PDB file of all heavy atoms in Angstrom:
ATOM      1  N   MET A  22       0.842  -1.194   0.008  1.00 53.00           N
ATOM      2  CA  MET A  22       0.006  -0.004   0.002  1.00 53.00           C
ATOM      3  C   MET A  22       0.875   1.252  -0.007  1.00 53.00           C
ATOM      4  O   MET A  22       1.830   1.341   0.742  1.00 53.00           O
ATOM      5  CB  MET A  22      -0.859   0.043   1.247  1.00 53.00           C
ATOM      6  CG  MET A  22      -1.966  -0.893   1.271  1.00 53.00           C
ATOM      7  SD  MET A  22      -2.906  -0.357   2.702  1.00 53.00           S
ATOM      8  CE  MET A  22      -4.202  -1.478   2.630  1.00 53.00           C
ATOM      9  N   ALA A  40      29.679  25.833   4.728  1.00 74.00           N
ATOM     10  CA  ALA A  40      31.124  25.894   4.505  1.00 74.00           C
ATOM     11  C   ALA A  40      31.741  26.750   5.621  1.00 74.00           C
ATOM     12  O   ALA A  40      31.089  27.608   6.180  1.00 74.00           O
ATOM     13  CB  ALA A  40      31.421  26.496   3.139  1.00 74.00           C
ATOM     14  N   PRO A  42      33.792  29.753   7.259  1.00 73.00           N
ATOM     15  CA  PRO A  42      33.893  31.143   6.799  1.00 73.00           C
ATOM     16  C   PRO A  42      35.278  31.375   6.179  1.00 73.00           C
ATOM     17  O   PRO A  42      36.250  30.673   6.537  1.00 73.00           O
ATOM     18  CB  PRO A  42      33.704  31.975   8.061  1.00 73.00           C
ATOM     19  CG  PRO A  42      33.943  31.028   9.195  1.00 73.00           C
ATOM     20  CD  PRO A  42      33.624  29.667   8.704  1.00 73.00           C
ATOM     21  N   ILE A  48      40.134  35.629  10.927  1.00 88.00           N
ATOM     22  CA  ILE A  48      41.205  36.455  11.512  1.00 88.00           C
ATOM     23  C   ILE A  48      40.597  37.696  12.153  1.00 88.00           C
ATOM     24  O   ILE A  48      41.005  38.094  13.268  1.00 88.00           O
ATOM     25  CB  ILE A  48      42.246  36.864  10.415  1.00 88.00           C
ATOM     26  CG1 ILE A  48      42.986  35.633   9.963  1.00 88.00           C
ATOM     27  CG2 ILE A  48      43.174  37.932  10.923  1.00 88.00           C
ATOM     28  CD1 ILE A  48      43.873  34.994  11.046  1.00 88.00           C
ATOM     29  N   ALA A  53      39.153  40.614  17.055  1.00 95.00           N
ATOM     30  CA  ALA A  53      38.133  41.265  17.870  1.00 95.00           C
ATOM     31  C   ALA A  53      38.048  40.608  19.260  1.00 95.00           C
ATOM     32  O   ALA A  53      37.943  41.324  20.268  1.00 95.00           O
ATOM     33  CB  ALA A  53      36.784  41.237  17.177  1.00 95.00           C
ATOM     34  N   VAL A  58      39.258  40.793  25.152  1.00 98.00           N
ATOM     35  CA  VAL A  58      39.913  40.214  26.335  1.00 98.00           C
ATOM     36  C   VAL A  58      40.979  41.170  26.870  1.00 98.00           C
ATOM     37  O   VAL A  58      41.062  41.377  28.087  1.00 98.00           O
ATOM     38  CB  VAL A  58      40.514  38.825  26.008  1.00 98.00           C
ATOM     39  CG1 VAL A  58      41.414  38.320  27.130  1.00 98.00           C
ATOM     40  CG2 VAL A  58      39.415  37.826  25.722  1.00 98.00           C
ATOM     41  N   VAL A  65      40.240  45.711  34.504  1.00 95.00           N
ATOM     42  CA  VAL A  65      40.413  45.066  35.802  1.00 95.00           C
ATOM     43  C   VAL A  65      41.725  45.552  36.469  1.00 95.00           C
ATOM     44  O   VAL A  65      41.744  45.854  37.655  1.00 95.00           O
ATOM     45  CB  VAL A  65      40.402  43.534  35.652  1.00 95.00           C
ATOM     46  CG1 VAL A  65      40.865  42.834  36.934  1.00 95.00           C
ATOM     47  CG2 VAL A  65      39.026  43.054  35.276  1.00 95.00           C
ATOM     48  N   MET A  69      42.093  47.573  40.022  1.00 94.00           N
ATOM     49  CA  MET A  69      42.935  47.071  41.104  1.00 94.00           C
ATOM     50  C   MET A  69      43.923  48.135  41.599  1.00 94.00           C
ATOM     51  O   MET A  69      44.271  48.155  42.762  1.00 94.00           O
ATOM     52  CB  MET A  69      43.684  45.822  40.660  1.00 94.00           C
ATOM     53  CG  MET A  69      42.786  44.609  40.507  1.00 94.00           C
ATOM     54  SD  MET A  69      43.563  43.153  39.775  1.00 94.00           S
ATOM     55  CE  MET A  69      45.166  43.100  40.498  1.00 94.00           C
ATOM     56  N   ARG A  70      44.340  49.005  40.696  1.00 94.00           N
ATOM     57  CA  ARG A  70      45.302  50.063  41.093  1.00 94.00           C
ATOM     58  C   ARG A  70      44.618  51.300  41.628  1.00 94.00           C
ATOM     59  O   ARG A  70      45.288  52.239  42.076  1.00 94.00           O
ATOM     60  CB  ARG A  70      46.119  50.469  39.864  1.00 94.00           C
ATOM     61  CG  ARG A  70      47.102  49.400  39.445  1.00 94.00           C
ATOM     62  CD  ARG A  70      48.005  49.902  38.363  1.00 94.00           C
ATOM     63  NE  ARG A  70      48.647  51.151  38.797  1.00 94.00           N
ATOM     64  CZ  ARG A  70      49.276  51.956  37.980  1.00 94.00           C
ATOM     65  NH1 ARG A  70      49.355  51.671  36.713  1.00 94.00           N
ATOM     66  NH2 ARG A  70      49.853  53.063  38.441  1.00 94.00           N
ATOM     67  N   ILE A  90      34.281  77.687  36.747  1.00 81.00           N
ATOM     68  CA  ILE A  90      34.411  77.689  38.220  1.00 81.00           C
ATOM     69  C   ILE A  90      35.801  77.281  38.626  1.00 81.00           C
ATOM     70  O   ILE A  90      36.319  77.805  39.613  1.00 81.00           O
ATOM     71  CB  ILE A  90      33.330  76.746  38.838  1.00 81.00           C
ATOM     72  CG1 ILE A  90      31.931  77.278  38.555  1.00 81.00           C
ATOM     73  CG2 ILE A  90      33.553  76.653  40.356  1.00 81.00           C
ATOM     74  CD1 ILE A  90      30.853  76.373  39.047  1.00 81.00           C
TER      75      ILE A  90
END
Side-chain angles (χ1 to χ4, degrees):
M22 286 190 179
I48 292 295
V58 169
V65 169
M69 289 172 41
R70 289 187 53 194
I90 295 176

